[in-house]
Amino acid sequence: MIIDTHHHLWNYDPLEFDWIDDDMATIRRSFLPEDLKATIDSTGVSGVVTVQARQIVEETEWLLSLAAENNLMKGIVGWLPLAADNVNELLQKYSENKWLKGVRHVVQGEPDPDFILGEAFNRGISLLKDYQLVYDILILEYQLPNTIKFVDQHPEQVFVLDHIAKPKIKLNEIEPWAKSLKELAKRENVSCKISGMVTEADFKQWTPEQLQPYFDVVLDAFGPSRLMYGSDWPVCLVATKYSGWLQLVKQVLSDLSDSEKEQIFYKNAVETYQL
């Protein structure tokens, strides 16, 4: 059994999705549950965790409504204004919905390099554990040092690192990302998604061999007990097919035991997100 812990859904709007540039023109359209179902029907994926793509509460409400109607969706990672004065009331309200498993903020897009250390933001983060909500960390590799400081403020919070912290794969740079990632992985309350790697490489010219050193670092740092499979569909489509990414991850993990593979592809997702 396979759980895809990272994919998105959207009704395409050029203003709301202005990050989809000309190089990503192939995903300038809507992607809805029926598209996802058609994509994964023959892959062996039995469930998904749907992750927010817009930083508005309406996005979270929309995803929750879709999850209630689609058996494939086992949970969502939504967005809530974690730095808002009324965040506790919002967490109370939305955590009553059984489909909300976690929240995320697009820290990678914040112009302030110290955003993740902000007082109001961290006050909101400190409340998540009271509602059994995971926090998904979306950052770029240069933000890892501050992220380590951030995680250290919340030793009881469950964290999941998205897209292996987006190393500079296109430039074949592995340091200082590898050193920082290994340091972050020393925190037992942090897990990591094997996702989003092909889109950090050259969309057209990436190779499995180019990605291998990054796979090696992640496997060594987190081990099978704190890794999860994610497709980052439909974003991944600018560089590979859904089935292509899944087969590559299976190939990379082929030397692991069956129980270790089961952890990465299924068990860790169920336990971490309480699916």
Side-chain angles (χ1 to χ4, degrees):
M1 294 178 75
I2 299 171
I3 298 284
D4 177 353
T5 62
H6 201 104
H7 86 97
H8 306 284
L9 298 171
W10 61 65
N11 273 312
Y12 180 70
D13 177 290
L15 294 177
E16 291 187 321
F17 294 89
D18 58 355
W19 55 270
I20 303 178
D21 60 22
D22 290 345
D23 289 338
M24 307 174 89
T26 186
I27 59 170
R28 276 183 175 155
R29 64 178 182 86
S30 296
F31 291 89
L32 298 168
E34 53 267 34
D35 301 301
L36 176 67
K37 189 173 187 307
T39 297
I40 68 174
D41 255 353
S42 59
T43 63
V45 174
S46 55
V48 298
V49 176
T50 309
V51 181
Q52 60 85 219
R54 298 175 300 160
Q55 301 201 116
I56 51 174
V57 174
E58 289 79 8
E59 166 92 341
T60 304
E61 293 176 344
W62 180 62
L63 294 178
L64 290 172
S65 69
L66 291 179
E69 299 165 357
N70 291 275
N71 291 335
L72 195 60
M73 297 171 67
K74 305 303 181 187
I76 78 145
V77 175
W79 181 88
L80 292 172
L82 291 170
D85 290 339
N86 66 334
V87 64
N88 199 32
E89 296 164 39
L90 292 170
L91 289 170
Q92 203 160 5
K93 174 185 173 182
Y94 288 101
S95 66
E96 290 173 0
N97 189 304
K98 67 178 182 176
W99 303 113
L100 186 67
K101 306 299 183 180
V103 293
R104 182 175 88 150
H105 187 87
V106 184
V107 175
Q108 71 168 41
E110 290 291 342
D112 179 1
D114 293 325
F115 173 88
I116 202 167
L117 301 175
E119 185 179 349
F121 181 69
N122 278 270
R123 185 174 66 247
I125 295 288
S126 71
L127 298 171
L128 296 180
K129 64 182 184 303
D130 300 336
Y131 299 98
Q132 288 78 54
L133 292 172
V134 174
Y135 180 75
D136 266 39
I137 301 171
L138 178 61
I139 56 168
L140 300 170
E141 54 83 29
Y142 79 89
Q143 295 170 308
L144 273 166
N146 269 353
T147 299
I148 292 166
K149 295 177 188 173
F150 162 71
V151 166
D152 283 344
Q153 294 181 44
H154 308 281
E156 295 174 26
Q157 173 61 38
V158 177
F159 292 105
V160 176
L161 180 66
D162 292 348
H163 310 329
I164 71 169
K166 295 198 166 188
K168 294 179 179 177
I169 299 174
K170 191 174 185 178
L171 300 176
N172 296 308
E173 287 184 13
I174 203 150
E175 296 295 353
W177 166 80
K179 183 179 179 182
S180 296
L181 189 87
K182 289 174 184 175
E183 181 60 37
L184 177 62
K186 292 177 183 176
R187 282 77 182 159
E188 293 287 332
N189 57 325
V190 183
S191 297
C192 179
K193 293 178 186 177
I194 302 175
S195 63
M197 293 168 65
V198 286
T199 44
E200 294 308 307
D202 186 292
F203 297 164
K204 303 277 189 266
Q205 298 182 349
W206 70 272
T207 65
E209 291 75 22
Q210 184 185 24
L211 301 187
Q212 190 61 52
Y214 301 90
F215 280 120
D216 292 342
V217 169
V218 169
L219 281 162
D220 179 56
F222 288 96
S225 64
R226 286 189 292 139
L227 287 171
M228 292 178 272
Y229 166 73
S231 68
D232 199 25
W233 180 92
V235 183
C236 69
L237 297 177
V238 301
T240 188
K241 292 180 179 177
Y242 187 104
S243 57
W245 173 246
L246 177 56
Q247 289 308 313
L248 176 57
V249 176
K250 284 182 176 180
Q251 180 59 41
V252 168
L253 304 180
S254 60
D255 289 339
L256 298 182
S257 69
D258 288 346
S259 63
E260 288 172 330
K261 291 175 197 169
E262 187 182 24
Q263 283 182 300
I264 294 172
F265 281 113
Y266 184 77
K267 278 190 172 178
N268 295 342
V270 171
E271 290 173 11
T272 302
Y273 286 111
Q274 301 177 57
L275 304 181

